[in-house]
Amino acid sequence: MASCNGLTNLIRPSFGNSRRTKFSRFRKNEFMCSAVDPRHVSQAAQTHEWRISHEHILSAHALSSTFTYQHYHHLNTCFTDELSMEHEQKIEDVRILLKSKEESEDPMESLVFVDAIQRLGVSSHFQKEIETILRKRYPPTCECINGYHTLYDVSLFFRLLRQHGHYISSDVFQNFRGRDGKFKLKLSQDMRGLMELYEAAQLSIDGEDILDEAIKFSSQHLLNKSSQLGVDSKWSRIVANKLRHPYHKSIARLTGKDIFIRDFKDLNEDDRTLRELLKLDLRMEQSVYQQELLQISRWWNRLGLAESLKIARNQPLKWYTWSMACLIDDISLSQQRIDLTKLIAFIYLIDDIFDVYGTLDELIIFTEAVNKWDCDAMEMLPDYMKICYMALLDTTNEIAHKIHEKHGHNPIGHLKTAWSSLCDAFLVEAKWFASGQLPSASEYLENGKVSSGVHVVLVHSFFLLDVGKARGNGSPLFHVNDVSRLISSVATILRLWDDLGSAEDEKQDGKDGSYLQCYMQDHMGMIGVEQAREKVEHLIATEWKNLNKACFGLNHNLGASSFKKACLNLARMVPLMYSYDDNQRLPILQEFVDFMLFSHASS
């Protein structure tokens, strides 16, 4: 077993195509029927694994390889203390700016500044100040928008209020419609207003037809204007990025990256102050994130599953990226990110056991063992399953014990049920594969929401974030069943993006056992791949509306708010995880990980 020595270097990974469609298990048959040794396949695939390397020291601090861990810890503490003072001062500088904006006679000045803070991903420092500004601007009735006249003003006002849980009707956009009920054509020349309208419409819920129309109207005219300006123009690049990564459906740090790397000469004084805060935030966060990766690396190496399951994915960096993004809004949630990464590792590993290793009989036995959740059940398992099974039980029980000690309630019953449901769903897919028969699209999706693993991640997150904290009388504020609709929406988004990404990446034309193939089968070959993809894209858009409704309808205490953010961030990460380029790589995800973990934020 490799030793970490406390001086582990987290070098940049190679971002290749390592995803495996859960329902597509054709690779196992290829291994069995061909002369190719699976070990050779594994060795070739590992050149693109998302591993945490142990060859150099932490690159962010450029320490000498002769230092001991104690030397590193001492220097890092000094570095953090000095940085912390500078960081706190910069937070105070921005807080003063916020206060001055709040007192401005122009209501838009404060809203524009709040928007800039959010887009950079530094809003967690100013939640009280932002809430004060929004409450001050909140209209007495949902249709009252006095002081907000332009398309840009109303769109930004609408989006900020909805994001923070304040009800505001989509009817505020009625003033921008003509007598024919359509958006006025003169608005097509207002690029700034169109971009903000497009952003605002991303927060729509089911039944808001005016926001559906807003998306079509704004995107159509933005694309037309962009094509007139040429692909190399600044505005064209801004428009393309806006349409590809709308703020509400993106991780804020990803959108803030462009501002971070912008030249100082393009920034006014307020922007410059925000940029400096972002830079300090990143420096502090990278120190925390790299320490978390170090702990995950040690845990993963001690576990030894990479050696016992050689064909399984060995991707701790990718697993950590999920949890880092999910809980990115609160740097203090370090242990929660580590625990979530461990759970995500087991989702991938168990998926590989079902995809690559197990015969149907072995998978039935494994599923029965998980449902029993008993060490004695290990005896009936094949040897290669035993270490994974015991590690799953030990890790989950340990997490449940920590939650019980910290929050006073033991969630092990809910956690066991989540793992049992996941393996039951995997087994259903294995039986479909073994029978050679495709299910209907609705059957596939209903089961696929569970086999996505989202339920496992978010149920654990629910208890790790103590969303179910007790009232004074001992009854919980929220029960995990209260957020089932929210979890289901995130799971559907992931499952459909996964299937859509598989079809596009692997050029399978829907012949991959995905939702696309099931949907085309349901229609007896009367529709093609493009129509099936349009159906998937429509379903994803619908689930985002359901997610918006579930999130913004939650009671906004601290626990519910943190869980809502985790769910939204998980959904926002999905496109990054499944957007492959022509070289079967993930360039957007690579940029995000490089920026968050390996960029030199001090430069």
Side-chain angles (χ1 to χ4, degrees), residues 371-401:
N371 277 277
K372 290 179 179 178
W373 204 264
D374 190 327
C375 295
D376 293 339
M378 182 179 69
E379 297 306 316
M380 62 183 182
L381 296 174
D383 288 341
Y384 74 90
M385 288 182 171
K386 288 180 179 178
I387 184 173
C388 182
Y389 179 74
M390 281 308 301
L392 172 66
L393 265 61
D394 289 344
T395 302
T396 307
N397 289 336
E398 179 187 355
I399 290 173
H401 178 70

Side-chain angles (χ1 to χ4, degrees), residues 496 532-545:
L496 292 173
R533 285 177 176 165
E534 289 175 3
K535 172 66 175 180
V536 170
E537 290 168 357
H538 172 74
L539 289 175
I540 292 172
T542 299
E543 285 304 326
W544 263 106
K545 292 180 180 181

Side-chain angles (χ1 to χ4, degrees), residues 9-139:
N9 180 41
L10 311 176
I11 65 171
R12 300 169 190 262
S14 176
F15 296 76
N17 174 12
S18 55
R19 73 168 301 285
R20 302 174 183 186
T21 306
K22 289 178 171 56
F23 187 51
S24 296
R25 297 197 174 86
F26 57 85
R27 291 175 304 107
K28 180 164 59 180
N29 282 353
E30 288 176 349
F31 289 163
M32 296 168 65
C33 300
S34 72
V36 177
D37 188 332
R39 291 171 297 181
H40 297 161
V41 176
S42 175
Q43 291 167 3
Q46 286 172 1
T47 61
H48 294 305
E49 296 280 2
W50 288 50
R51 295 184 172 188
I52 302 173
S53 175
H54 303 278
E55 297 176 3
H56 305 91
I57 61 171
L58 282 166
S59 58
H61 304 296
L63 298 176
S64 167
S65 60
T66 60
F67 286 169
T68 64
Y69 179 74
Q70 287 73 22
H71 288 141
Y72 165 75
H73 181 72
H74 172 70
L75 290 178
N76 190 49
T77 301
C78 296
F79 169 78
T80 303
D81 288 345
E82 180 182 346
L83 182 64
S84 180
M85 294 176 61
E86 186 181 359
H87 185 240
E88 288 299 322
Q89 182 57 55
K90 195 57 62 177
I91 290 174
E92 186 59 28
D93 292 344
V94 175
R95 188 171 283 119
I96 292 171
L97 278 173
L98 259 177
K99 185 66 175 176
S100 69
K101 306 294 183 185
E102 179 190 348
E103 297 170 352
S104 171
E105 294 182 1
D106 181 4
M108 284 307 299
E109 190 174 348
S110 61
L111 297 185
V112 170
F113 196 63
V114 166
D115 185 41
I117 288 173
Q118 291 189 165
R119 287 181 180 279
L120 284 174
V122 296
S123 60
S124 61
H125 303 299
F126 312 104
Q127 289 301 307
K128 290 182 180 179
E129 291 81 3
I130 291 174
E131 185 62 25
T132 298
I133 288 173
L134 293 180
R135 286 190 179 278
K136 184 176 180 179
R137 307 302 183 197
Y138 189 56

Side-chain angles (χ1 to χ4, degrees), residues 454-600:
V454 167
H455 187 74
V456 171
V457 172
L458 291 182
V459 166
H460 282 77
S461 298
F462 182 89
F463 292 104
L464 285 167
L465 296 171
D466 196 25
V467 179
K469 63 179 68 175
R471 295 186 178 95
N473 60 7
S475 62
L477 285 169
F478 292 97
H479 191 275
V480 69
N481 292 337
D482 296 335
V483 294
S484 59
R485 177 65 260 183
L486 194 158
I487 293 174
S488 176
S489 292
V490 179
T492 304
I493 290 169
L494 189 147
R495 165 52 62 216
L496 292 173
W497 255 106
D498 185 349
D499 288 354
L500 195 62
S502 169
E504 292 177 350
D505 169 49
E506 299 171 14
K507 304 296 188 292
Q508 291 171 333
D509 294 330
K511 300 174 182 178
D512 57 348
S514 68
Y515 181 88
L516 281 79
Q517 187 177 3
C518 296
Y519 184 72
M520 288 189 288
Q521 175 189 260
D522 286 354
H523 290 78
M524 308 291 289
M526 299 299 291
I527 64 170
V529 177
E530 288 307 314
Q531 290 171 292
R533 285 177 176 165
E534 289 175 3
K535 172 66 175 180
V536 170
E537 290 168 357
H538 172 74
L539 289 175
I540 292 172
T542 299
E543 285 304 326
W544 263 106
K545 292 180 180 181
N546 293 335
L547 181 57
N548 288 338
K549 184 177 181 179
C551 281
F552 305 135
L554 284 175
N555 192 3
H556 285 270
N557 74 359
L558 179 61
S561 177
S562 62
F563 182 71
K564 174 194 73 174
K565 290 177 181 177
C567 292
L568 284 168
N569 285 336
L570 190 58
R572 290 162 177 158
M573 271 302 290
V574 169
L576 273 69
M577 287 290 185
Y578 298 110
S579 294
Y580 293 89
D581 63 12
D582 293 337
N583 296 317
Q584 298 183 351
R585 294 182 177 273
L586 297 163
I588 302 173
L589 183 60
Q590 178 180 352
E591 288 180 16
F592 175 69
V593 173
D594 277 350
F595 183 66
M596 292 300 300
L597 295 175
F598 305 108
S599 65
H600 296 290

Side-chain angles (χ1 to χ4, degrees), residues 115 119 155-163 196 247:
D115 185 41
R119 287 181 180 279
S155 298
L156 177 60
F157 181 64
F158 174 88
R159 176 167 62 83
L160 290 177
L161 286 177
R162 277 224 172 166
Q163 284 173 347
E196 193 51 53
Y247 170 75

